[in-house]
Amino acid sequence: MGRVSISPRRAGVAVAALTALLTSACAGEPDRPRPAPSPSASASASAVASPAAEPAGDPAARAAALVGTLTDEDLVGQVLMPYAYGSAATAVPPGSAAGNRALAGVDTPAEMIAKYRLGGLILVGFSADDPTSGNQETTNVDNPRQVRELTTGLRAAAAELPAGRAPFLVSTDQEYGVVTRITDGVTLLPSALAAGAAGDPALTQAAWRAAGTELAAMGINLDLAPVADVLATRSTVIGSRSFGADPKRASAQVAGAVRGLQSAGVAATVKHFPGHGMSETDSHEDVPVVAQPRTELDRTALPPFTAGIDAGAMAVMSAHLDVTAVDPGTPATFSRKLLTDVLRGQLGFKGVVITDGMNMPPAKRFPPGEAAVKALLAGNDLILMPPHVGQAYDGLLGALRDGSLPRTRLVEAVTRVLTMKFQLADRPAPALSTLNSPAHRAAVDELAAAAVTALRGGCDARVKGPVTVTTSAGRDHTRASLTAALTATGVKVVPDGGTKVHLVGYGDDAGDLAGDAAVTVAMDTPYVLGKAKSPTLLATYSSGRASMTALARVLAGKARPVGRSPVPVPGLPASSCGR
């Protein structure tokens, strides 16, 4: 199939012109089983958008026609994207069923979709050194075949809904690096910071095209990535998830990642608007305060979001950030000034705005129903991971019926969501055999090789004699990976007594360094290298197979460390290799 070429600036829904058409959707009964449309709704449906008469081609027109047939319950369900317990759609073990009952009053993910007329579901899971693990309540992922079977089952359940003509959204946070939900059997990209070090948007685009193809093969059509946060602080929650500290360089990388993903038919989500890298506080624990003046936000934080939007990003994720220069005291998630005035008005974004997880502490300051209403009123279109699905659904439905949530705002949100769905429609999923293919591995290997950076020691980082690989605690898997890669290049690796190559990664500090190491390698943010004494300092910014293979080639003298640190490290150059 040809690439998806989507520009929200050009594909926005003209909501005002559609209002007379769309407000014909009527209220269904308040119970949750799927209702038959009332006579007025049936008349509207037959007059406006029967399946046979559904407009072809134009996603916005298809969305508008479908919205005109939906009841209140269906409209509310389309703006909810919860998580669910279980690795299958219709059969889950007792523990997962209990989790779903507590979350939504049902046993299975398929039942959750049917009861709440859901527009989408997020798949969650765990990865090593994951700074977002605090709000990942469960895991849905084991291997690609299981994920494909799960997403197929979810779509079968959604196809029975009145909105089922539009593709069901299945999302996940596949950022690569420390936040990677699906790790087994897929091609793993190096972190965003590694791509920033490579500094070539074309390499980034090629790698993310491979990533998008693999996500599509597993039935995932919405990636909550890439991260567009400029790393203006030493934020540990953002860290190597960012493309770097330079807004211009980060902008080019964000645009490349967006184009790559969406060329494979997977919607990209630039996040966390308006810039989580401007604060060191973790929004999984508290509300970070972004205290920079507005001029600095415009100069530093916003350019990568603008670049992602201009590249056609179909979605933007709002953040739980208190931006004092714009709307002090109100997290961006609930700020109309930020989401409607700045994001929609100043940046011109016309696509879908998705909240960050509503099960995070800043959003849980309000009951789930109230939080969902506040988020929608601010300008969000999809409510992600509500801590209780039923309460969020009831809150939205009640607010719609008592007038505190204007119908035009809900219709606008649903129309945007359905427009995005139809933009993703009619593309057959690639075969699972495309996963981890030689072509995909080659694209990722090229990006990882271009990222390896020398911050001390020059371009020749070749090690002499046998090598001993050591690591900070808990990184045995990574040590084994580098050992195998070095052996494959012809370098002899011994248990001890050789030239020491020491690896440090996410969360490590000066106490994790080895004073006698000839080479110290940072596999996450490189700040710790400023305290290292080794004569050779290298950074890969990532610890995956591709990064360890690239590092081994540098240590064997078969490649040069041509990357450039995308964040400043006091006392060290961005590159000691002359780049």
Side-chain angles (χ1 to χ4, degrees), residues 32 76 80 82 101-105 115-116 364 366-373 383 386-399:
R32 300 264 167 65
V76 167
L80 292 174
R101 285 193 294 272
L103 178 65
K115 183 174 183 179
Y116 297 104
K364 289 174 71 175
F366 307 102
E370 182 180 354
V373 172
I383 309 300
H388 193 282
V389 184
Q391 291 176 25
Y393 181 94
D394 290 341
L396 289 167
L397 190 60

Side-chain angles (χ1 to χ4, degrees), residues 495-537:
D496 55 65
T499 301
K500 182 180 285 189
V501 175
H502 186 68
L503 308 176
V504 289
Y506 176 81
D508 289 344
D509 56 25
D512 297 292
L513 297 169
D516 59 344
V519 181
T520 299
V521 183
M523 303 182 298
D524 196 72
T525 53
Y527 304 124
V528 68
L529 295 182
K531 300 178 181 178
K533 305 302 182 185
S534 302
T536 298
L537 301 178

Side-chain angles (χ1 to χ4, degrees), residues 447-477:
L447 178 62
V452 182
T453 305
L455 290 92
R456 181 187 294 157
C459 294
D460 186 1
R462 182 187 335 227
V463 289
K464 296 180 179 180
V467 170
T468 298
V469 178
T470 62
T471 70
S472 55
R475 304 192 185 279
D476 292 343
H477 177 79

Side-chain angles (χ1 to χ4, degrees), residues 46 59 84 88 112 115 194 361 363 486 507 514 546:
S46 62
M112 191 184 301
K115 183 174 183 179
L486 284 168

Side-chain angles (χ1 to χ4, degrees), residues 144-338:
R145 185 166 299 280
Q146 169 266 320
V147 173
R148 175 69 174 260
E149 291 173 355
L150 169 60
T151 58
T152 299
L154 298 176
R155 288 200 164 84
E160 300 299 317
L161 299 176
R165 299 200 299 277
F168 188 68
L169 294 176
V170 181
S171 72
T172 196
D173 292 282
Q174 194 80 344
E175 297 176 13
Y176 302 96
V178 293
V179 177
T180 308
R181 302 295 182 231
I182 306 168
T183 58
D184 293 339
V186 299
T187 307
L188 292 176
L189 277 61
S191 69
L193 202 62
D200 187 340
L203 295 181
T204 300
Q205 182 169 334
W208 279 85
R209 183 183 302 115
T213 301
E214 297 194 2
L215 288 170
M218 292 181 284
I220 294 166
N221 58 1
L222 173 60
D223 194 4
L224 303 179
V227 171
D229 304 322
V230 173
L231 200 59
T233 66
R234 292 195 181 187
S235 167
T236 56
V237 69
I238 299 301
S240 61
R241 301 165 67 190
S242 166
F243 287 103
D246 183 284
K248 184 176 181 180
R249 292 168 66 90
S251 294
Q253 293 294 323
V254 169
V258 167
R259 292 190 180 102
L261 267 177
Q262 296 193 168
S263 70
V266 174
T269 309
V270 290
K271 66 183 187 185
H272 309 80
F273 183 83
H276 206 315
M278 306 300 288
S279 172
E280 293 187 39
T281 305
D282 185 351
S283 60
H284 296 84
E285 300 172 359
D286 201 353
V287 181
V289 175
V290 175
Q292 290 88 346
R294 178 60 190 272
T295 53
E296 186 171 350
L297 296 179
D298 287 343
R299 179 181 60 83
T300 302
L302 297 186
F305 290 95
T306 300
I309 292 168
D310 288 344
M314 297 173 69
V316 170
M317 178 180 284
S318 61
H320 305 313
L321 304 173
D322 179 359
V323 184
T324 60
V326 179
D327 198 359
T330 303
T333 317
F334 305 115
S335 172
R336 184 173 176 81
K337 291 181 180 179
L338 279 160

Side-chain angles (χ1 to χ4, degrees), residues 303-571:
F305 290 95
T306 300
I309 292 168
D310 288 344
M314 297 173 69
V316 170
M317 178 180 284
S318 61
H320 305 313
L321 304 173
D322 179 359
V323 184
T324 60
V326 179
D327 198 359
T330 303
T333 317
F334 305 115
S335 172
R336 184 173 176 81
K337 291 181 180 179
L338 279 160
L339 300 186
T340 301
D341 297 347
V342 177
L343 179 57
R344 300 279 187 204
Q346 179 184 338
L347 273 62
F349 182 58
K350 304 296 184 184
V352 174
V353 180
I354 306 173
T355 71
D356 205 344
M358 297 295 278
N359 62 344
M360 294 164 63
K364 289 174 71 175
R365 295 182 176 186
F366 307 102
E370 182 180 354
V373 172
K374 285 179 175 290
L376 211 65
L377 289 173
N380 294 281
D381 303 304
L382 265 178
I383 309 300
L384 184 69
M385 301 176 73
H388 193 282
V389 184
Q391 291 176 25
Y393 181 94
D394 290 341
L396 289 167
L397 190 60
L400 177 65
R401 290 177 172 168
D402 70 18
S404 55
L405 173 60
R407 179 174 298 276
T408 53
R409 171 76 273 267
L410 179 60
V411 166
E412 178 185 55
V414 175
T415 304
R416 287 191 183 118
V417 170
L418 291 177
T419 298
M420 180 169 73
K421 289 184 174 189
F422 282 123
Q423 287 171 324
L424 297 169
D426 307 323
R427 290 180 64 111
L432 283 176
S433 59
T434 63
L435 271 64
N436 211 19
S437 67
H440 290 177
R441 288 168 67 104
V444 169
D445 287 348
E446 189 173 2
L447 178 62
V452 182
T453 305
L455 290 92
R456 181 187 294 157
C459 294
D460 186 1
R462 182 187 335 227
V463 289
K464 296 180 179 180
V467 170
T468 298
V469 178
T470 62
T471 70
S472 55
R475 304 192 185 279
D476 292 343
H477 177 79
T478 307
R479 181 171 67 245
S481 177
L482 179 58
T483 297
L486 284 168
T487 302
T489 64
V491 175
K492 183 178 181 180
V493 181
V494 295
D496 55 65
T499 301
K500 182 180 285 189
V501 175
H502 186 68
L503 308 176
V504 289
Y506 176 81
D508 289 344
D509 56 25
D512 297 292
L513 297 169
D516 59 344
V519 181
T520 299
V521 183
M523 303 182 298
D524 196 72
T525 53
Y527 304 124
V528 68
L529 295 182
K531 300 178 181 178
K533 305 302 182 185
S534 302
T536 298
L537 301 178
L538 300 173
T540 61
Y541 315 94
S542 203
S543 61
R545 177 207 60 82
S547 295
M548 292 301 97
T549 299
L551 173 62
R553 288 182 53 79
V554 168
L555 294 173
K558 297 179 180 296
R560 290 158 61 93
V562 295
R564 184 177 180 84
S565 178
V567 295
V569 181

